Amino acid sequence: MLEVNKVRKDFPILDVMYDGKRITYLDSAATSQKPVQVIDRVSEYYRNYNSNIHRGIYKISEKATEEYISSKEKAAKLINSGSYSEIVYTKNATDAINLVAASWGNKNIGKGDHILITEMEHHSNIVPWQMLAERKGAVLDYVSVDKSTYTLDEQSLEMGLENNPKIFAFTHTSNVLGTINDAKRLTKMAHKAGAAVLLDGAQSVPHMKVDVNEIGADFIAFSSHKMLGPAGIGVLRAGRDVLEKMDPLITGGDMILSVEKHKSTWNSLPWKFEAGTPNVEGGIGFGAAIDYLNMIGLDDIRRHEIELTKYAIESLEGEKGLHIYGPDRLDIKGGIVSFSIDRAHPHDIATIFDSFGIAIRAGHHCAMPLVKSVLELPAVARMSFYLYNDEEEVDQAVQAIKKVKEIFHVG
Amino acid sequence: MALDIYAEEMISHYEHPHNKGKLEKPDIMLHENNPVCGDEMTVYCRIENGILKEVSFDGEGCAISVGTASMLTDFAKGKSLEEIERMDFNTIKELIGIDPGPARVKCATLALKTLKGCAFLYQHKDIDIATKEL
Ligand SMILES: Cc1ncc(COP(=O)(O)O)c(C=O)c1O
């Protein structure tokens, strides 16, 4: 069992007072808070061994290099990947997806080829494919979302795969609906149709055990900042054979083996994709975040989020004028509750929550095709939970919802 | 920010907005949006001798953008285009009686931005509005 009171003590921000109130942070799907263990690890690097990695032939550079590589080993282990050479550090999940679309995509997608994505994607898993399709004259297809279950429509999925797409890129967990897609099954189906698979793990890897080996996806992308680590660092994981065949997008220092006047050879993996001085402190802090997640245990975190989501949904049941968008089945739902309230615009909802000291997000959540075309809403409000949230915070959210209804004369 | 912005007057304007809907045969109209919020607004104006005779707005938005649009169109009707061009954020603060705060300033000023765009366009039909900071 996750001891939330103990966990909360590790997050200094939860004790900060604004206008006499502590923050109730229900926006972890946007970015997570950081435990003192991460803050200290980054601070320790700055204080004790700040240096550039790789080339330094002196103690603190060796230590920095060691810590940076060790964070990759931790990331590899976390998702049950092979060696750290398969962990490419990027800026974030967006950057990782762009790398695949530009590098792998440029080589493997041609005129008339199909690219398959879904209607529940974040813009970061839409726009790079749109651009690629435009560059290459390829066709971008969407698997539709079944509005009654908020899951991927099976028939539409089969139809999409019948076109034998070159790649199927889909999110593991929807950042709006919370829907957890069966990544293993979808990957199997895609492979059968001859498609490579990119799994957007931005909302899944922070919240549950994700085993890329078992799932079998060719690429997975995720961000450190959504899993207790620093911003500015993310992961693209792919198998050695795939990465070997991909060209680097950014070139320069650190990513080469040798440079002659008119020709260069690439460095070994993963360094080939990490030109220039990397985000050393980001990598080191990310390692600390993974240590923390392992200490608490991802299975316990997942159970805690299911409990909280269940509690939230039960607390809101029967609330007139309130609509929740996402699967009813908690086993296929992450700790995300998107909602609307009749007559109240989501931005007004968020402002009213803010007056209670509660941080939620309102808008299209970078998923305009989902919010506008599938849900047919201009915007939605979203609460999202993580390991440090508790039932008392959900109670506060329920109070805020009642206030919204009072102000807007609902129900 | 406290909840003062949602005073009954604002909510009443939001729920029963004045000057809402399309104006037939406007002398000038302009569409603006607030991409962050998804608020959309079109302002329609009928102008006689440099005076805003009729004005209306249409669109989708939050209570703050719709409520201020309702109050602002009431306030602006009958004013000269010069007066409208001189209106600024202070005009809005006085109208709604509160500073909406940084998170909502775009919502609160969407109608004003669109109305000022109309006034500007009407007087300078030859200038590209995209180059002007309203
Ligand atoms: C499902 C999903 N994919 C991708 C991203 C992009 O993550 P980042 O902004 O860290 O690149 C997000 C972030 O909100 C997300 O929710």
Side-chain angles (χ1 to χ4, degrees):
Chain A
M1 256 315 265
L2 186 149
E3 289 177 75
V4 67
N5 285 331
K6 242 168 100 185
V7 167
R8 288 177 69 84
K9 291 204 177 73
D10 289 330
F11 290 80
I13 205 169
L14 300 179
D15 263 334
V16 177
M17 308 287 273
Y18 281 93
D19 302 329
K21 289 188 210 85
R22 285 193 175 77
I23 315 167
T24 294
Y25 189 73
L26 301 182
D27 195 21
S28 293
T31 198
S32 68
Q33 296 304 341
K34 321 299 173 201
V36 69
Q37 288 84 343
V38 168
I39 299 168
D40 285 353
R41 193 85 64 90
V42 174
S43 157
E44 187 204 350
Y45 162 73
Y46 282 137
R47 286 169 187 276
N48 296 346
Y49 60 101
N50 176 65
S51 55
N52 209 329
I53 58 169
H54 294 319
R55 293 166 308 273
I57 308 180
Y58 50 86
K59 278 195 187 59
I60 60 173
S61 171
E62 280 166 14
K63 176 157 172 65
T65 308
E66 219 169 85
E67 287 289 332
Y68 186 75
I69 291 178
S70 135
S71 77
K72 287 194 184 231
E73 285 167 344
K74 289 167 187 175
K77 200 157 166 229
L78 180 78
I79 56 172
N80 195 23
S81 168
S83 100
Y84 80 82
S85 61
E86 298 178 336
I87 301 291
V88 175
Y89 276 165
T90 60
K91 284 209 297 273
N92 44 39
T94 304
D95 193 31
I97 298 169
N98 273 276
L99 173 58
V100 176
S103 170
W104 183 92
N106 265 7
K107 253 191 181 165
N108 291 282
I109 305 284
K111 197 170 160 56
D113 282 346
H114 286 257
I115 299 167
L116 188 62
I117 61 174
T118 87
E119 281 182 342
M120 61 167 83
E121 298 313 310
H122 186 277
H123 293 165
S124 59
N125 202 24
I126 300 177
V127 186
W129 305 115
Q130 282 177 346
M131 304 275 292
L132 174 63
E134 206 174 286
R135 275 200 307 277
K136 295 289 183 169
V139 184
L140 181 63
D141 299 321
Y142 283 80
V143 177
S144 59
V145 171
D146 180 338
K147 264 187 84 168
S148 60
T149 57
Y150 299 104
T151 56
L152 293 178
D153 183 88
E154 198 62 28
Q155 208 180 345
S156 163
L157 170 67
E158 279 166 20
M159 272 165 54
L161 289 173
E162 269 170 26
N163 292 322
N164 298 113
K166 282 277 155 66
I167 189 161
F168 180 27
F170 63 92
T171 192
H172 200 176
T173 301
S174 158
N175 65 315
V176 177
L177 305 171
T179 310
I180 302 174
N181 290 308
D182 185 345
K184 187 179 171 181
R185 184 175 150 266
L186 295 182
T187 299
K188 221 173 176 175
M189 288 171 75
H191 281 167
K192 227 169 123 189
V197 167
L198 180 139
L199 184 65
D200 174 358
Q203 296 292 352
S204 62
V205 175
H207 301 276
M208 59 198 246
K209 267 201 183 127
V210 174
D211 184 330
V212 292
N213 201 29
E214 194 194 337
I215 292 169
D218 304 271
F219 303 99
I220 181 166
F222 52 100
S223 291
S224 152
H225 72 93
K226 290 187 200 283
M227 50 194 293
L228 314 181
I233 192 130
V235 171
L236 170 67
R237 186 272 165 190
R240 281 197 75 88
D241 47 332
V242 180
L243 291 174
E244 293 285 7
K245 285 190 212 126
M246 277 166 60
D247 288 329
L249 282 190
I250 315 275
T251 55
D254 285 335
M255 53 77 63
I256 45 81
L257 212 51
S258 70
V259 177
E260 295 161 39
K261 271 194 167 162
H262 297 286
K263 190 168 143 289
S264 300
T265 48
W266 307 145
N267 200 345
S268 60
L269 290 171
W271 313 116
K272 172 173 114 178
F273 295 101
E274 295 184 30
T277 298
N279 182 353
V280 181
E281 50 271 64
I284 289 170
F286 184 35
I290 298 170
D291 287 342
Y292 189 86
L293 289 170
N294 286 331
M295 179 184 81
I296 303 295
L298 276 159
D299 285 337
D300 279 355
I301 292 172
R302 171 79 183 123
R303 264 195 293 275
H304 176 71
E305 290 179 19
I306 291 177
E307 287 300 316
L308 264 190
T309 307
K310 181 163 178 262
Y311 182 73
I313 288 172
E314 282 171 4
S315 304
L316 294 170
E317 213 167 83
E319 199 66 71
K320 272 214 189 88
L322 178 92
H323 310 276
I324 294 177
Y325 307 96
D328 292 329
R329 277 178 50 194
L330 288 169
D331 61 322
I332 57 160
K333 187 176 170 65
I336 288 173
V337 179
S338 284
F339 64 98
S340 67
I341 299 172
D342 287 347
R343 315 231 289 261
H345 190 284
H347 283 98
D348 296 317
I349 298 175
T351 295
I352 293 165
F353 269 65
D354 183 45
S355 77
F356 281 75
I358 310 174
I360 62 164
R361 192 151 290 253
H364 50 61
H365 307 285
C366 294
M368 281 173 93
L370 175 65
V371 173
K372 302 243 169 193
S373 314
V374 181
L375 303 180
E376 297 177 86
L377 296 167
V380 286
R382 177 186 75 189
M383 305 189 256
S384 53
F385 307 127
Y386 209 0
L387 71 169
Y388 37 69
N389 293 120
D390 62 17
E391 293 189 351
E392 200 183 309
E393 292 179 309
V394 174
D395 292 341
Q396 288 171 33
V398 173
Q399 287 313 307
I401 285 173
K402 291 192 191 300
K403 187 74 190 178
V404 173
K405 288 177 60 177
E406 181 195 316
I407 288 174
F408 286 94
H409 311 116
V410 180
Chain B
M1 189 194 57
L3 289 176
D4 303 345
I5 196 158
Y6 297 108
E8 264 312 314
E9 194 191 355
M10 175 72 85
I11 298 298
S12 155
H13 274 274
Y14 170 63
E15 290 180 340
H16 310 285
H18 304 178
N19 317 309
K20 180 116 196 287
K22 243 174 108 161
L23 206 61
E24 287 305 315
K25 297 203 194 113
D27 293 310
I28 192 97
M29 60 180 272
L30 185 64
H31 178 83
E32 284 279 354
N33 61 21
N34 171 358
V36 185
C37 297
D39 289 348
E40 305 251 350
M41 186 155 309
T42 308
V43 168
Y44 304 84
C45 302
R46 218 173 281 148
I47 292 159
E48 264 175 46
N49 303 323
I51 303 288
L52 183 65
K53 276 284 175 199
E54 294 276 351
V55 58
S56 76
F57 74 98
D58 211 355
E60 284 272 340
C62 61
I64 296 174
S65 76
V66 173
T68 47
S70 171
M71 292 185 212
L72 177 70
T73 45
D74 273 353
F75 177 74
K77 212 181 293 182
K79 298 238 170 0
S80 70
L81 296 186
E82 288 75 37
E83 282 174 294
I84 288 166
E85 290 219 88
R86 277 199 303 274
M87 290 179 185
D88 58 15
F89 187 40
N90 288 319
T91 318
I92 297 295
K93 282 194 283 196
E94 275 167 33
L95 264 180
I96 66 179
I98 189 173
D99 185 331
R104 304 306 297 277
V105 60
K106 284 226 158 68
C107 311
T109 53
L110 181 59
L112 178 65
K113 186 176 170 210
T114 320
L115 177 65
K116 287 182 68 162
C118 284
F120 179 81
L121 267 182
Y122 184 77
Q123 299 180 89
H124 310 275
K125 292 196 175 79
D126 48 336
I127 297 179
D128 181 2
I129 192 161
T131 63
K132 181 166 157 70
E133 186 65 39
L134 294 166

